[in-house]
Amino acid sequence: MNIASTLRGPVQQWLRRSPLRSITAAACVCTAVYWLGIASDRYVSESRLIIQSTNLHSGAAIDLGSLISGSTGSNRDDQLLLREHLRSPDMAEKLDTTLHLREHFGSQGDWFSRMWQGAEASRENFYAYYLRRVQVEYDEFAGVLVVKSQAYEPEKAQQISQMLVQEGERFMNHMAHAIAQDQVTFLEGQVQALNSKVLASRRALLEFQDKKGMISPEAAAQVIAAIVANLQGQMADLQAQRAAMQAYLVADHPNIVLLNQRIDALEKQIAQEQAKLAAPGGKTLNRTAEAFAQLELQSKFDLDMYKTALTALEQGRLEATRTLKKVSVLQQPNLPQDAKEPRRLYTTSIWLVTIMLLAGLAHLLLAIVRDHRD
């Protein structure tokens, strides 16, 4: 008591010299009392996740960020996407619906650390508080996702981490299945459309054949061309015979007249057959063959496209099964035994240093003002 009484006098005199010293001392004492004695314990449950792909045939893409950080993980983008999902307002609301986080954070803890609004907290206020109690960070070096959940009860902290892990796995699997299903659905739609197109082109080809009464106009044209060539050969033979007879017979000899009649008949027949093949502005076989060739080409093209679409559909189905994402839990959410938060000595030291710096800055400003007044 004598020592305390001895020290109390000089300390009181030192504090009375400047109100700033009194305020600084009071702030330091309050900070130390709060962080060392009043601040509520918070338990931290930690888990570690990694996302793996079932696609074993595709090579890993080169990531400049991974090269710089030294990370060898090939699913960095997926893990960052999962991180944003776990930190999203929707996830906070889902956790609150299942685990009643508003009630937990609003009814427990000291006056400064608890959520003041409690169960009546707005979506924005609850989400801001949620981000202070749930940490989801990506470890660039190890290539894993670290999930840390804080609560005023160890069981509640573990439940939050467990639900985050479960929802993260469900989200990644759902997203992967949805993307794969969208790809397969699109390919199936393309196959159906091309199948209808193939049937329509084949139907048009059959209708054209029925209308023209022939299977292949090109084959018919070849037959007519062969007939014309044969007739032209016969006419050439008759013309040679006539030329030979005209050397020793008169022009009106019956044999020469008969040859002339046969040659005229062949010429008419050749003209008729050639008219079937081609004629200006007529419905001839060459135009029929051209129209048939276009229909046949379109039908073959549609069939090739249909075959390509079928191949792409099968490949898409295989890719859909090989590129699914799987969330692997490297560390299951633990049940904490000791409260890791708040870090009392560390936090108290930080606050005391901050108060001293602010007090020094305020003292410097007051000294500058006094100098200017003088």
Side-chain angles (χ1 to χ4, degrees):
M1 293 295 294
N2 294 332
I3 297 176
S5 300
T6 304
L7 294 176
R8 187 181 301 116
V11 170
Q12 291 177 351
Q13 293 178 1
W14 181 78
L15 292 175
R16 289 172 181 174
R17 293 179 181 177
S18 173
L20 180 60
R21 294 178 182 179
S22 301
I23 296 174
T24 303
C28 291
V29 171
C30 293
T31 299
V33 169
Y34 173 74
W35 288 113
L36 295 177
I38 300 178
S40 300
D41 291 335
R42 297 195 301 272
Y43 296 88
V44 180
S45 177
E46 180 176 337
S47 61
R48 295 175 179 268
L49 312 175
I50 188 172
I51 299 177
Q52 295 176 324
S53 174
T54 58
N55 187 1
L56 302 179
H57 301 283
S58 62
I62 298 177
D63 186 359
L64 182 60
S66 299
L67 293 177
I68 295 175
S69 62
S71 173
T72 58
S74 59
N75 296 310
R76 180 176 182 273
D77 294 339
D78 293 328
Q79 294 183 159
L80 291 177
L81 179 63
L82 178 58
R83 172 181 177 269
E84 293 304 316
H85 175 68
L86 297 181
R87 288 168 50 88
S88 65
D90 292 339
M91 178 57 66
E93 293 296 330
K94 186 175 294 185
L95 288 172
D96 176 59
T97 302
T98 305
L99 302 178
H100 309 290
L101 295 187
R102 279 185 170 89
E103 181 180 352
H104 173 76
F105 290 132
S107 61
Q108 300 191 33
D110 60 86
W111 191 81
F112 290 101
S113 63
R114 73 174 57 181
M115 188 171 61
W116 297 341
Q117 298 88 348
E120 303 299 327
S122 64
R123 181 183 178 92
E124 291 76 14
N125 291 333
F126 172 68
Y127 177 62
Y129 190 89
Y130 169 81
L131 293 180
R132 295 201 300 268
R133 295 294 177 255
V134 175
Q135 299 174 355
V136 184
E137 300 298 336
Y138 177 67
D139 189 338
E140 293 281 353
F141 182 78
V144 299
L145 206 62
V146 181
V147 180
K148 295 181 180 180
S149 304
Q150 300 180 23
Y152 297 109
E153 298 174 356
E155 295 80 7
K156 183 67 70 173
Q158 185 184 35
Q159 291 174 1
I160 294 174
S161 293
Q162 288 175 344
M163 188 169 177
L164 286 173
V165 172
Q166 295 171 1
E167 288 297 322
E169 185 173 6
R170 186 200 60 79
F171 168 74
M172 292 305 299
N173 290 336
H174 173 74
M175 186 178 67
H177 281 86
I179 294 175
Q181 186 60 41
D182 289 343
Q183 293 176 348
V184 172
T185 302
F186 172 77
L187 291 174
E188 288 177 347
Q190 293 296 311
V191 168
Q192 293 177 359
L194 291 174
N195 182 34
S196 301
K197 197 171 182 180
V198 168
L199 295 177
S201 60
R202 296 297 298 177
R203 191 181 304 111
L205 188 63
L206 291 175
E207 291 176 354
F208 184 85
Q209 290 174 337
D210 294 339
K211 181 180 179 181
K212 298 299 181 181
M214 60 183 71
I215 298 178
S216 175
E218 183 178 357
Q222 292 176 356
V223 171
I224 294 176
I227 293 174
V228 170
N230 186 25
L231 293 175
Q232 288 177 344
Q234 295 178 16
M235 188 177 67
D237 291 339
L238 294 177
Q239 288 175 346
Q241 293 178 16
R242 185 181 62 180
M245 289 181 182
Q246 286 177 347
Y248 60 88
L249 295 176
V250 295
D252 56 350
H253 191 273
N255 290 338
I256 294 178
V257 173
L258 179 59
L259 288 175
N260 289 334
Q261 292 176 351
R262 294 180 63 185
I263 290 172
D264 292 339
L266 287 174
E267 288 179 347
K268 293 179 180 180
Q269 185 64 31
I270 290 173
Q272 291 177 0
E273 296 297 331
Q274 288 179 340
K276 294 179 182 179
L277 289 176
K283 296 182 180 180
T284 53
L285 198 57
N286 65 332
R287 296 181 181 273
T288 303
E290 176 63 22
F292 179 82
Q294 292 180 0
L295 291 174
E296 189 176 27
L297 181 62
Q298 183 64 40
S299 177
K300 290 181 179 179
F301 176 76
D302 293 340
L303 183 59
D304 291 339
M305 291 294 294
Y306 179 67
K307 293 178 180 178
T308 303
L310 283 177
T311 304
L313 177 59
E314 294 303 319
Q315 291 179 350
R317 286 173 176 169
L318 292 176
E319 289 293 329
T321 58
R322 289 196 295 111
T323 57
L324 296 181
K325 308 294 183 180
K326 182 180 184 299
V327 178
S328 300
V329 182
L330 301 180
Q331 175 185 329
Q332 293 290 342
N334 63 306
L335 179 64
Q337 295 181 348
D338 297 326
K340 292 185 177 180
E341 295 290 341
R343 293 181 290 178
R344 300 183 184 277
L345 292 178
Y346 174 79
T347 308
T348 302
S349 302
I350 294 297
W351 274 96
L352 291 178
V353 171
T354 303
I355 292 173
M356 292 298 181
L357 291 176
L358 293 175
L361 180 61
H363 180 74
L364 180 61
L365 292 176
L366 291 175
I368 294 173
V369 171
R370 284 196 297 268
D371 290 341
H372 281 283
R373 285 180 179 178
D374 296 340

